Amino acid sequence: MLPEEQELTRLETEQGELEERVASAELSLETIKTETARFQRRYYQTVGRLYAELDELDAKFADAQAARIPGDAAARADAQAAHEQARKSAEEAGLIEVCPGPPPAITPELKQAYRQAAKLIHPDRATTDRERQRRTTLMAQVNRAYERGDKEAIEKLILEYGHDPEAIAGADIASRIVRAIRRIAQLRRRLTEAQEELEVHQATELFQLRKTVEEAEAMGGDPLNELAQQLMQELSERGIQLEMETCQ
């Protein structure tokens, strides 16, 4: 076997191993995201709505206190903060629709990145149907990143396009070696990204809460329903407190 054939074999073996590792990492990441999202829905249905009701009672209680001392700026500020917390809790629990955030800023840097991507990737520059299809897919990603105001995503797409294995034509050994090298670089980047994203997700409060709850359930406990019972008791007590405050 010629040296270049040996190198191609080595590269293609490494590529295959990396493809397996990337697939495994992406599966783990998507599984954790799906399971955590499922837990989040269960959490909000069981106790999230009760927290929202508690926060709403707290806001009404703060309003009642501010009404008794209308000149107290601190009391008004407390009432405003309580209403903001109540709104946030209701949004998280799905009781009210989340207000859309402001549109992203279209900065000169973002525009420059978009123009650079369009010049490089636009489908009109394609010379074959296959190339046009590839460019169309990438350009759609550029457009979505621009709408989000995500300059880094556009720059990443430019980098990926410049190192795209599919840009190398030919079935000879040299072409296959270059394609394999570029594909390996892509896979290494994606593996690092997936591993970092997985670590970030596992560090979130929601993931840690899910882990704690599932461990307790595995031991026969029912922590969410127990918490719901406690919150219902607090709701009853807060309701009485609010009624006494408004009667003063």
Side-chain angles (χ1 to χ4, degrees), residues 38-51 206 209-214 216-217 220-232:
R38 187 180 298 116
F39 169 79
Q40 184 179 41
R41 288 192 295 271
R42 182 161 69 96
Y43 175 82
Y44 284 146
Q45 289 170 357
T46 306
V47 299
R49 59 183 180 83
L50 298 176
Y51 275 122
L206 181 60
L209 175 61
R210 171 196 152 202
K211 184 178 178 181
T212 299
V213 169
E214 290 179 348
E217 290 174 340
D222 194 357
L224 290 184
N225 280 330
E226 290 172 4
L227 180 56
Q229 293 299 320
Q230 295 175 11
L231 291 173
M232 290 176 68

PDB file of all heavy atoms in Angstrom, residues 38-51 206 209-214 216-217 220-232:
ATOM      1  N   ARG A  38     -39.462  18.051  29.460  1.00  0.00           N
ATOM      2  CA  ARG A  38     -40.609  17.292  29.956  1.00  0.00           C
ATOM      3  C   ARG A  38     -40.778  17.489  31.465  1.00  0.00           C
ATOM      4  O   ARG A  38     -41.893  17.681  31.962  1.00  0.00           O
ATOM      5  CB  ARG A  38     -40.425  15.810  29.617  1.00  0.00           C
ATOM      6  CG  ARG A  38     -41.649  14.961  29.948  1.00  0.00           C
ATOM      7  CD  ARG A  38     -41.415  13.495  29.605  1.00  0.00           C
ATOM      8  NE  ARG A  38     -41.184  13.320  28.178  1.00  0.00           N
ATOM      9  CZ  ARG A  38     -40.071  12.879  27.652  1.00  0.00           C
ATOM     10  NH1 ARG A  38     -39.040  12.564  28.427  1.00  0.00           N
ATOM     11  NH2 ARG A  38     -39.938  12.746  26.350  1.00  0.00           N
ATOM     12  N   PHE A  39     -39.667  17.472  32.190  1.00  0.00           N
ATOM     13  CA  PHE A  39     -39.726  17.702  33.637  1.00  0.00           C
ATOM     14  C   PHE A  39     -40.212  19.124  33.927  1.00  0.00           C
ATOM     15  O   PHE A  39     -40.996  19.344  34.860  1.00  0.00           O
ATOM     16  CB  PHE A  39     -38.342  17.495  34.265  1.00  0.00           C
ATOM     17  CG  PHE A  39     -38.264  17.957  35.690  1.00  0.00           C
ATOM     18  CD1 PHE A  39     -38.778  17.176  36.713  1.00  0.00           C
ATOM     19  CD2 PHE A  39     -37.696  19.184  36.001  1.00  0.00           C
ATOM     20  CE1 PHE A  39     -38.730  17.617  38.037  1.00  0.00           C
ATOM     21  CE2 PHE A  39     -37.637  19.628  37.309  1.00  0.00           C
ATOM     22  CZ  PHE A  39     -38.150  18.838  38.331  1.00  0.00           C
ATOM     23  N   GLN A  40     -39.748  20.088  33.140  1.00  0.00           N
ATOM     24  CA  GLN A  40     -40.159  21.473  33.349  1.00  0.00           C
ATOM     25  C   GLN A  40     -41.667  21.621  33.226  1.00  0.00           C
ATOM     26  O   GLN A  40     -42.299  22.302  34.033  1.00  0.00           O
ATOM     27  CB  GLN A  40     -39.464  22.387  32.346  1.00  0.00           C
ATOM     28  CG  GLN A  40     -39.769  23.870  32.551  1.00  0.00           C
ATOM     29  CD  GLN A  40     -39.029  24.732  31.549  1.00  0.00           C
ATOM     30  OE1 GLN A  40     -38.939  24.382  30.368  1.00  0.00           O
ATOM     31  NE2 GLN A  40     -38.487  25.838  31.999  1.00  0.00           N
ATOM     32  N   ARG A  41     -42.269  20.976  32.228  1.00  0.00           N
ATOM     33  CA  ARG A  41     -43.727  21.042  32.076  1.00  0.00           C
ATOM     34  C   ARG A  41     -44.425  20.420  33.283  1.00  0.00           C
ATOM     35  O   ARG A  41     -45.398  20.970  33.800  1.00  0.00           O
ATOM     36  CB  ARG A  41     -44.154  20.325  30.781  1.00  0.00           C
ATOM     37  CG  ARG A  41     -43.788  21.082  29.518  1.00  0.00           C
ATOM     38  CD  ARG A  41     -44.492  20.481  28.306  1.00  0.00           C
ATOM     39  NE  ARG A  41     -44.041  19.118  28.039  1.00  0.00           N
ATOM     40  CZ  ARG A  41     -43.012  18.811  27.273  1.00  0.00           C
ATOM     41  NH1 ARG A  41     -42.297  19.772  26.704  1.00  0.00           N
ATOM     42  NH2 ARG A  41     -42.676  17.553  27.057  1.00  0.00           N
ATOM     43  N   ARG A  42     -43.906  19.279  33.730  1.00  0.00           N
ATOM     44  CA  ARG A  42     -44.511  18.624  34.896  1.00  0.00           C
ATOM     45  C   ARG A  42     -44.368  19.491  36.148  1.00  0.00           C
ATOM     46  O   ARG A  42     -45.296  19.593  36.957  1.00  0.00           O
ATOM     47  CB  ARG A  42     -43.854  17.259  35.116  1.00  0.00           C
ATOM     48  CG  ARG A  42     -44.436  16.467  36.281  1.00  0.00           C
ATOM     49  CD  ARG A  42     -44.086  14.983  36.163  1.00  0.00           C
ATOM     50  NE  ARG A  42     -42.681  14.702  36.372  1.00  0.00           N
ATOM     51  CZ  ARG A  42     -42.160  14.320  37.547  1.00  0.00           C
ATOM     52  NH1 ARG A  42     -42.950  14.181  38.603  1.00  0.00           N
ATOM     53  NH2 ARG A  42     -40.884  14.065  37.660  1.00  0.00           N
ATOM     54  N   TYR A  43     -43.218  20.112  36.289  1.00  0.00           N
ATOM     55  CA  TYR A  43     -42.974  20.965  37.454  1.00  0.00           C
ATOM     56  C   TYR A  43     -43.942  22.149  37.469  1.00  0.00           C
ATOM     57  O   TYR A  43     -44.549  22.452  38.503  1.00  0.00           O
ATOM     58  CB  TYR A  43     -41.530  21.469  37.423  1.00  0.00           C
ATOM     59  CG  TYR A  43     -41.203  22.447  38.520  1.00  0.00           C
ATOM     60  CD1 TYR A  43     -40.885  22.005  39.796  1.00  0.00           C
ATOM     61  CD2 TYR A  43     -41.208  23.819  38.278  1.00  0.00           C
ATOM     62  CE1 TYR A  43     -40.588  22.905  40.809  1.00  0.00           C
ATOM     63  CE2 TYR A  43     -40.910  24.728  39.278  1.00  0.00           C
ATOM     64  CZ  TYR A  43     -40.602  24.260  40.540  1.00  0.00           C
ATOM     65  OH  TYR A  43     -40.324  25.156  41.546  1.00  0.00           O
ATOM     66  N   TYR A  44     -44.092  22.812  36.335  1.00  0.00           N
ATOM     67  CA  TYR A  44     -44.971  23.968  36.280  1.00  0.00           C
ATOM     68  C   TYR A  44     -46.437  23.579  36.488  1.00  0.00           C
ATOM     69  O   TYR A  44     -47.207  24.303  37.116  1.00  0.00           O
ATOM     70  CB  TYR A  44     -44.812  24.704  34.944  1.00  0.00           C
ATOM     71  CG  TYR A  44     -43.554  25.537  34.871  1.00  0.00           C
ATOM     72  CD1 TYR A  44     -42.857  25.696  33.680  1.00  0.00           C
ATOM     73  CD2 TYR A  44     -43.035  26.166  36.007  1.00  0.00           C
ATOM     74  CE1 TYR A  44     -41.701  26.447  33.611  1.00  0.00           C
ATOM     75  CE2 TYR A  44     -41.885  26.918  35.952  1.00  0.00           C
ATOM     76  CZ  TYR A  44     -41.215  27.052  34.755  1.00  0.00           C
ATOM     77  OH  TYR A  44     -40.068  27.803  34.694  1.00  0.00           O
ATOM     78  N   GLN A  45     -46.828  22.428  35.949  1.00  0.00           N
ATOM     79  CA  GLN A  45     -48.208  21.972  36.132  1.00  0.00           C
ATOM     80  C   GLN A  45     -48.495  21.613  37.587  1.00  0.00           C
ATOM     81  O   GLN A  45     -49.614  21.797  38.073  1.00  0.00           O
ATOM     82  CB  GLN A  45     -48.475  20.765  35.233  1.00  0.00           C
ATOM     83  CG  GLN A  45     -48.540  21.103  33.755  1.00  0.00           C
ATOM     84  CD  GLN A  45     -48.571  19.865  32.879  1.00  0.00           C
ATOM     85  OE1 GLN A  45     -48.497  18.738  33.366  1.00  0.00           O
ATOM     86  NE2 GLN A  45     -48.676  20.063  31.570  1.00  0.00           N
ATOM     87  N   THR A  46     -47.477  21.089  38.283  1.00  0.00           N
ATOM     88  CA  THR A  46     -47.686  20.632  39.656  1.00  0.00           C
ATOM     89  C   THR A  46     -47.528  21.754  40.671  1.00  0.00           C
ATOM     90  O   THR A  46     -48.387  21.940  41.537  1.00  0.00           O
ATOM     91  CB  THR A  46     -46.699  19.488  40.000  1.00  0.00           C
ATOM     92  OG1 THR A  46     -46.830  18.459  39.027  1.00  0.00           O
ATOM     93  CG2 THR A  46     -46.999  18.915  41.387  1.00  0.00           C
ATOM     94  N   VAL A  47     -46.416  22.503  40.590  1.00  0.00           N
ATOM     95  CA  VAL A  47     -46.157  23.525  41.611  1.00  0.00           C
ATOM     96  C   VAL A  47     -45.956  24.930  41.038  1.00  0.00           C
ATOM     97  O   VAL A  47     -46.130  25.909  41.766  1.00  0.00           O
ATOM     98  CB  VAL A  47     -44.929  23.141  42.466  1.00  0.00           C
ATOM     99  CG1 VAL A  47     -45.159  21.832  43.175  1.00  0.00           C
ATOM    100  CG2 VAL A  47     -43.665  23.063  41.626  1.00  0.00           C
ATOM    101  N   GLY A  48     -45.590  25.038  39.752  1.00  0.00           N
ATOM    102  CA  GLY A  48     -45.333  26.350  39.185  1.00  0.00           C
ATOM    103  C   GLY A  48     -46.539  27.261  39.248  1.00  0.00           C
ATOM    104  O   GLY A  48     -46.430  28.445  39.592  1.00  0.00           O
ATOM    105  N   ARG A  49     -47.711  26.724  38.952  1.00  0.00           N
ATOM    106  CA  ARG A  49     -48.927  27.546  38.998  1.00  0.00           C
ATOM    107  C   ARG A  49     -49.239  27.994  40.424  1.00  0.00           C
ATOM    108  O   ARG A  49     -49.782  29.081  40.647  1.00  0.00           O
ATOM    109  CB  ARG A  49     -50.108  26.760  38.431  1.00  0.00           C
ATOM    110  CG  ARG A  49     -50.395  25.467  39.160  1.00  0.00           C
ATOM    111  CD  ARG A  49     -51.525  24.669  38.549  1.00  0.00           C
ATOM    112  NE  ARG A  49     -51.770  23.443  39.289  1.00  0.00           N
ATOM    113  CZ  ARG A  49     -52.516  23.382  40.383  1.00  0.00           C
ATOM    114  NH1 ARG A  49     -53.093  24.490  40.846  1.00  0.00           N
ATOM    115  NH2 ARG A  49     -52.701  22.236  41.017  1.00  0.00           N
ATOM    116  N   LEU A  50     -48.882  27.162  41.414  1.00  0.00           N
ATOM    117  CA  LEU A  50     -49.126  27.526  42.814  1.00  0.00           C
ATOM    118  C   LEU A  50     -48.190  28.644  43.250  1.00  0.00           C
ATOM    119  O   LEU A  50     -48.599  29.560  43.983  1.00  0.00           O
ATOM    120  CB  LEU A  50     -48.956  26.304  43.716  1.00  0.00           C
ATOM    121  CG  LEU A  50     -49.926  25.147  43.444  1.00  0.00           C
ATOM    122  CD1 LEU A  50     -49.601  23.954  44.333  1.00  0.00           C
ATOM    123  CD2 LEU A  50     -51.372  25.592  43.678  1.00  0.00           C
ATOM    124  N   TYR A  51     -46.941  28.582  42.812  1.00  0.00           N
ATOM    125  CA  TYR A  51     -46.018  29.681  43.083  1.00  0.00           C
ATOM    126  C   TYR A  51     -46.537  30.976  42.455  1.00  0.00           C
ATOM    127  O   TYR A  51     -46.429  32.052  43.047  1.00  0.00           O
ATOM    128  CB  TYR A  51     -44.634  29.347  42.529  1.00  0.00           C
ATOM    129  CG  TYR A  51     -43.759  28.536  43.452  1.00  0.00           C
ATOM    130  CD1 TYR A  51     -43.257  27.302  43.055  1.00  0.00           C
ATOM    131  CD2 TYR A  51     -43.425  29.011  44.723  1.00  0.00           C
ATOM    132  CE1 TYR A  51     -42.445  26.543  43.905  1.00  0.00           C
ATOM    133  CE2 TYR A  51     -42.614  28.255  45.571  1.00  0.00           C
ATOM    134  CZ  TYR A  51     -42.132  27.027  45.159  1.00  0.00           C
ATOM    135  OH  TYR A  51     -41.334  26.299  46.007  1.00  0.00           O
ATOM    136  N   LEU A 206     -32.449  24.235  36.710  1.00  0.00           N
ATOM    137  CA  LEU A 206     -33.547  23.345  36.342  1.00  0.00           C
ATOM    138  C   LEU A 206     -33.061  21.899  36.240  1.00  0.00           C
ATOM    139  O   LEU A 206     -33.744  20.977  36.715  1.00  0.00           O
ATOM    140  CB  LEU A 206     -34.165  23.786  35.014  1.00  0.00           C
ATOM    141  CG  LEU A 206     -35.357  22.960  34.517  1.00  0.00           C
ATOM    142  CD1 LEU A 206     -36.501  23.012  35.525  1.00  0.00           C
ATOM    143  CD2 LEU A 206     -35.817  23.463  33.154  1.00  0.00           C
ATOM    144  N   LEU A 209     -32.457  20.602  39.717  1.00  0.00           N
ATOM    145  CA  LEU A 209     -33.738  20.321  40.385  1.00  0.00           C
ATOM    146  C   LEU A 209     -34.319  19.012  39.869  1.00  0.00           C
ATOM    147  O   LEU A 209     -34.806  18.177  40.656  1.00  0.00           O
ATOM    148  CB  LEU A 209     -34.719  21.468  40.139  1.00  0.00           C
ATOM    149  CG  LEU A 209     -36.133  21.266  40.685  1.00  0.00           C
ATOM    150  CD1 LEU A 209     -36.113  21.102  42.200  1.00  0.00           C
ATOM    151  CD2 LEU A 209     -37.032  22.437  40.277  1.00  0.00           C
ATOM    152  N   ARG A 210     -34.283  18.839  38.568  1.00  0.00           N
ATOM    153  CA  ARG A 210     -34.791  17.589  37.982  1.00  0.00           C
ATOM    154  C   ARG A 210     -34.038  16.389  38.542  1.00  0.00           C
ATOM    155  O   ARG A 210     -34.647  15.369  38.908  1.00  0.00           O
ATOM    156  CB  ARG A 210     -34.632  17.642  36.462  1.00  0.00           C
ATOM    157  CG  ARG A 210     -34.933  16.314  35.771  1.00  0.00           C
ATOM    158  CD  ARG A 210     -34.389  16.299  34.365  1.00  0.00           C
ATOM    159  NE  ARG A 210     -34.075  14.929  33.979  1.00  0.00           N
ATOM    160  CZ  ARG A 210     -33.230  14.595  33.028  1.00  0.00           C
ATOM    161  NH1 ARG A 210     -32.577  15.525  32.362  1.00  0.00           N
ATOM    162  NH2 ARG A 210     -33.005  13.340  32.743  1.00  0.00           N
ATOM    163  N   LYS A 211     -32.721  16.500  38.642  1.00  0.00           N
ATOM    164  CA  LYS A 211     -31.907  15.413  39.159  1.00  0.00           C
ATOM    165  C   LYS A 211     -32.290  15.092  40.606  1.00  0.00           C
ATOM    166  O   LYS A 211     -32.439  13.914  40.974  1.00  0.00           O
ATOM    167  CB  LYS A 211     -30.427  15.804  39.077  1.00  0.00           C
ATOM    168  CG  LYS A 211     -29.460  14.719  39.500  1.00  0.00           C
ATOM    169  CD  LYS A 211     -28.018  15.186  39.328  1.00  0.00           C
ATOM    170  CE  LYS A 211     -27.043  14.121  39.803  1.00  0.00           C
ATOM    171  NZ  LYS A 211     -25.620  14.593  39.652  1.00  0.00           N
ATOM    172  N   THR A 212     -32.474  16.126  41.426  1.00  0.00           N
ATOM    173  CA  THR A 212     -32.836  15.925  42.834  1.00  0.00           C
ATOM    174  C   THR A 212     -34.200  15.251  42.955  1.00  0.00           C
ATOM    175  O   THR A 212     -34.385  14.318  43.747  1.00  0.00           O
ATOM    176  CB  THR A 212     -32.857  17.277  43.571  1.00  0.00           C
ATOM    177  OG1 THR A 212     -31.546  17.863  43.510  1.00  0.00           O
ATOM    178  CG2 THR A 212     -33.259  17.095  45.027  1.00  0.00           C
ATOM    179  N   VAL A 213     -35.163  15.740  42.166  1.00  0.00           N
ATOM    180  CA  VAL A 213     -36.515  15.185  42.212  1.00  0.00           C
ATOM    181  C   VAL A 213     -36.518  13.729  41.759  1.00  0.00           C
ATOM    182  O   VAL A 213     -37.147  12.864  42.394  1.00  0.00           O
ATOM    183  CB  VAL A 213     -37.477  16.031  41.341  1.00  0.00           C
ATOM    184  CG1 VAL A 213     -38.812  15.311  41.158  1.00  0.00           C
ATOM    185  CG2 VAL A 213     -37.698  17.392  41.982  1.00  0.00           C
ATOM    186  N   GLU A 214     -35.825  13.432  40.679  1.00  0.00           N
ATOM    187  CA  GLU A 214     -35.816  12.067  40.161  1.00  0.00           C
ATOM    188  C   GLU A 214     -35.124  11.108  41.127  1.00  0.00           C
ATOM    189  O   GLU A 214     -35.533   9.950  41.250  1.00  0.00           O
ATOM    190  CB  GLU A 214     -35.149  12.040  38.784  1.00  0.00           C
ATOM    191  CG  GLU A 214     -36.007  12.707  37.708  1.00  0.00           C
ATOM    192  CD  GLU A 214     -35.344  12.716  36.351  1.00  0.00           C
ATOM    193  OE1 GLU A 214     -34.121  12.414  36.278  1.00  0.00           O
ATOM    194  OE2 GLU A 214     -36.014  13.029  35.355  1.00  0.00           O
ATOM    195  N   ALA A 216     -35.134  11.425  44.392  1.00  0.00           N
ATOM    196  CA  ALA A 216     -36.086  11.209  45.482  1.00  0.00           C
ATOM    197  C   ALA A 216     -37.203  10.263  45.044  1.00  0.00           C
ATOM    198  O   ALA A 216     -37.630   9.388  45.813  1.00  0.00           O
ATOM    199  CB  ALA A 216     -36.670  12.548  45.934  1.00  0.00           C
ATOM    200  N   GLU A 217     -37.665  10.427  43.804  1.00  0.00           N
ATOM    201  CA  GLU A 217     -38.722   9.553  43.303  1.00  0.00           C
ATOM    202  C   GLU A 217     -38.235   8.115  43.169  1.00  0.00           C
ATOM    203  O   GLU A 217     -39.003   7.167  43.392  1.00  0.00           O
ATOM    204  CB  GLU A 217     -39.227  10.086  41.959  1.00  0.00           C
ATOM    205  CG  GLU A 217     -40.016  11.389  42.091  1.00  0.00           C
ATOM    206  CD  GLU A 217     -40.400  11.985  40.753  1.00  0.00           C
ATOM    207  OE1 GLU A 217     -39.766  11.641  39.736  1.00  0.00           O
ATOM    208  OE2 GLU A 217     -41.333  12.808  40.722  1.00  0.00           O
ATOM    209  N   GLY A 220     -38.783   6.238  46.200  1.00  0.00           N
ATOM    210  CA  GLY A 220     -40.166   6.104  46.642  1.00  0.00           C
ATOM    211  C   GLY A 220     -40.813   7.389  47.109  1.00  0.00           C
ATOM    212  O   GLY A 220     -41.960   7.380  47.575  1.00  0.00           O
ATOM    213  N   GLY A 221     -40.113   8.495  47.023  1.00  0.00           N
ATOM    214  CA  GLY A 221     -40.669   9.771  47.453  1.00  0.00           C
ATOM    215  C   GLY A 221     -41.537  10.417  46.379  1.00  0.00           C
ATOM    216  O   GLY A 221     -41.582   9.955  45.235  1.00  0.00           O
ATOM    217  N   ASP A 222     -42.213  11.485  46.767  1.00  0.00           N
ATOM    218  CA  ASP A 222     -43.058  12.229  45.829  1.00  0.00           C
ATOM    219  C   ASP A 222     -42.890  13.718  46.129  1.00  0.00           C
ATOM    220  O   ASP A 222     -43.810  14.382  46.596  1.00  0.00           O
ATOM    221  CB  ASP A 222     -44.523  11.810  45.978  1.00  0.00           C
ATOM    222  CG  ASP A 222     -45.376  12.289  44.811  1.00  0.00           C
ATOM    223  OD1 ASP A 222     -44.832  12.991  43.925  1.00  0.00           O
ATOM    224  OD2 ASP A 222     -46.576  11.974  44.792  1.00  0.00           O
ATOM    225  N   PRO A 223     -41.678  14.251  45.919  1.00  0.00           N
ATOM    226  CA  PRO A 223     -41.374  15.608  46.366  1.00  0.00           C
ATOM    227  C   PRO A 223     -42.227  16.702  45.738  1.00  0.00           C
ATOM    228  O   PRO A 223     -42.546  17.684  46.410  1.00  0.00           O
ATOM    229  CB  PRO A 223     -39.899  15.772  45.991  1.00  0.00           C
ATOM    230  CG  PRO A 223     -39.667  14.781  44.903  1.00  0.00           C
ATOM    231  CD  PRO A 223     -40.538  13.615  45.230  1.00  0.00           C
ATOM    232  N   LEU A 224     -42.601  16.553  44.478  1.00  0.00           N
ATOM    233  CA  LEU A 224     -43.392  17.606  43.846  1.00  0.00           C
ATOM    234  C   LEU A 224     -44.785  17.707  44.461  1.00  0.00           C
ATOM    235  O   LEU A 224     -45.281  18.810  44.732  1.00  0.00           O
ATOM    236  CB  LEU A 224     -43.482  17.366  42.339  1.00  0.00           C
ATOM    237  CG  LEU A 224     -42.194  17.582  41.548  1.00  0.00           C
ATOM    238  CD1 LEU A 224     -42.452  17.417  40.058  1.00  0.00           C
ATOM    239  CD2 LEU A 224     -41.592  18.953  41.830  1.00  0.00           C
ATOM    240  N   ASN A 225     -45.427  16.564  44.696  1.00  0.00           N
ATOM    241  CA  ASN A 225     -46.750  16.607  45.306  1.00  0.00           C
ATOM    242  C   ASN A 225     -46.679  17.070  46.757  1.00  0.00           C
ATOM    243  O   ASN A 225     -47.578  17.777  47.245  1.00  0.00           O
ATOM    244  CB  ASN A 225     -47.419  15.234  45.214  1.00  0.00           C
ATOM    245  CG  ASN A 225     -48.019  14.974  43.844  1.00  0.00           C
ATOM    246  OD1 ASN A 225     -48.445  15.901  43.165  1.00  0.00           O
ATOM    247  ND2 ASN A 225     -48.004  13.734  43.410  1.00  0.00           N
ATOM    248  N   GLU A 226     -45.598  16.699  47.452  1.00  0.00           N
ATOM    249  CA  GLU A 226     -45.430  17.177  48.823  1.00  0.00           C
ATOM    250  C   GLU A 226     -45.267  18.696  48.849  1.00  0.00           C
ATOM    251  O   GLU A 226     -45.848  19.381  49.696  1.00  0.00           O
ATOM    252  CB  GLU A 226     -44.202  16.510  49.452  1.00  0.00           C
ATOM    253  CG  GLU A 226     -44.395  15.027  49.725  1.00  0.00           C
ATOM    254  CD  GLU A 226     -43.109  14.354  50.170  1.00  0.00           C
ATOM    255  OE1 GLU A 226     -42.099  15.080  50.330  1.00  0.00           O
ATOM    256  OE2 GLU A 226     -43.116  13.117  50.371  1.00  0.00           O
ATOM    257  N   LEU A 227     -44.484  19.210  47.897  1.00  0.00           N
ATOM    258  CA  LEU A 227     -44.310  20.658  47.798  1.00  0.00           C
ATOM    259  C   LEU A 227     -45.615  21.336  47.430  1.00  0.00           C
ATOM    260  O   LEU A 227     -45.950  22.411  47.952  1.00  0.00           O
ATOM    261  CB  LEU A 227     -43.234  20.979  46.760  1.00  0.00           C
ATOM    262  CG  LEU A 227     -42.926  22.458  46.523  1.00  0.00           C
ATOM    263  CD1 LEU A 227     -42.538  23.157  47.816  1.00  0.00           C
ATOM    264  CD2 LEU A 227     -41.823  22.595  45.474  1.00  0.00           C
ATOM    265  N   ALA A 228     -46.390  20.717  46.547  1.00  0.00           N
ATOM    266  CA  ALA A 228     -47.681  21.282  46.166  1.00  0.00           C
ATOM    267  C   ALA A 228     -48.606  21.395  47.376  1.00  0.00           C
ATOM    268  O   ALA A 228     -49.329  22.396  47.538  1.00  0.00           O
ATOM    269  CB  ALA A 228     -48.327  20.426  45.080  1.00  0.00           C
ATOM    270  N   GLN A 229     -48.607  20.401  48.247  1.00  0.00           N
ATOM    271  CA  GLN A 229     -49.435  20.452  49.450  1.00  0.00           C
ATOM    272  C   GLN A 229     -49.004  21.608  50.353  1.00  0.00           C
ATOM    273  O   GLN A 229     -49.836  22.318  50.925  1.00  0.00           O
ATOM    274  CB  GLN A 229     -49.339  19.122  50.210  1.00  0.00           C
ATOM    275  CG  GLN A 229     -49.942  17.934  49.479  1.00  0.00           C
ATOM    276  CD  GLN A 229     -51.436  18.113  49.218  1.00  0.00           C
ATOM    277  OE1 GLN A 229     -52.172  18.606  50.072  1.00  0.00           O
ATOM    278  NE2 GLN A 229     -51.878  17.702  48.031  1.00  0.00           N
ATOM    279  N   GLN A 230     -47.684  21.790  50.500  1.00  0.00           N
ATOM    280  CA  GLN A 230     -47.187  22.900  51.311  1.00  0.00           C
ATOM    281  C   GLN A 230     -47.605  24.246  50.726  1.00  0.00           C
ATOM    282  O   GLN A 230     -48.009  25.161  51.459  1.00  0.00           O
ATOM    283  CB  GLN A 230     -45.668  22.830  51.410  1.00  0.00           C
ATOM    284  CG  GLN A 230     -45.131  21.609  52.142  1.00  0.00           C
ATOM    285  CD  GLN A 230     -43.618  21.535  52.101  1.00  0.00           C
ATOM    286  OE1 GLN A 230     -42.944  22.491  51.708  1.00  0.00           O
ATOM    287  NE2 GLN A 230     -43.076  20.387  52.490  1.00  0.00           N
ATOM    288  N   LEU A 231     -47.532  24.364  49.404  1.00  0.00           N
ATOM    289  CA  LEU A 231     -47.892  25.624  48.754  1.00  0.00           C
ATOM    290  C   LEU A 231     -49.383  25.904  48.891  1.00  0.00           C
ATOM    291  O   LEU A 231     -49.792  27.062  49.068  1.00  0.00           O
ATOM    292  CB  LEU A 231     -47.488  25.573  47.277  1.00  0.00           C
ATOM    293  CG  LEU A 231     -45.981  25.580  47.001  1.00  0.00           C
ATOM    294  CD1 LEU A 231     -45.699  25.364  45.524  1.00  0.00           C
ATOM    295  CD2 LEU A 231     -45.350  26.883  47.467  1.00  0.00           C
ATOM    296  N   MET A 232     -50.200  24.885  48.812  1.00  0.00           N
ATOM    297  CA  MET A 232     -51.641  25.081  48.981  1.00  0.00           C
ATOM    298  C   MET A 232     -51.951  25.568  50.392  1.00  0.00           C
ATOM    299  O   MET A 232     -52.833  26.409  50.597  1.00  0.00           O
ATOM    300  CB  MET A 232     -52.359  23.775  48.670  1.00  0.00           C
ATOM    301  CG  MET A 232     -52.330  23.397  47.195  1.00  0.00           C
ATOM    302  SD  MET A 232     -53.070  21.788  46.830  1.00  0.00           S
ATOM    303  CE  MET A 232     -54.785  22.140  47.203  1.00  0.00           C
TER     304      MET A 232
END
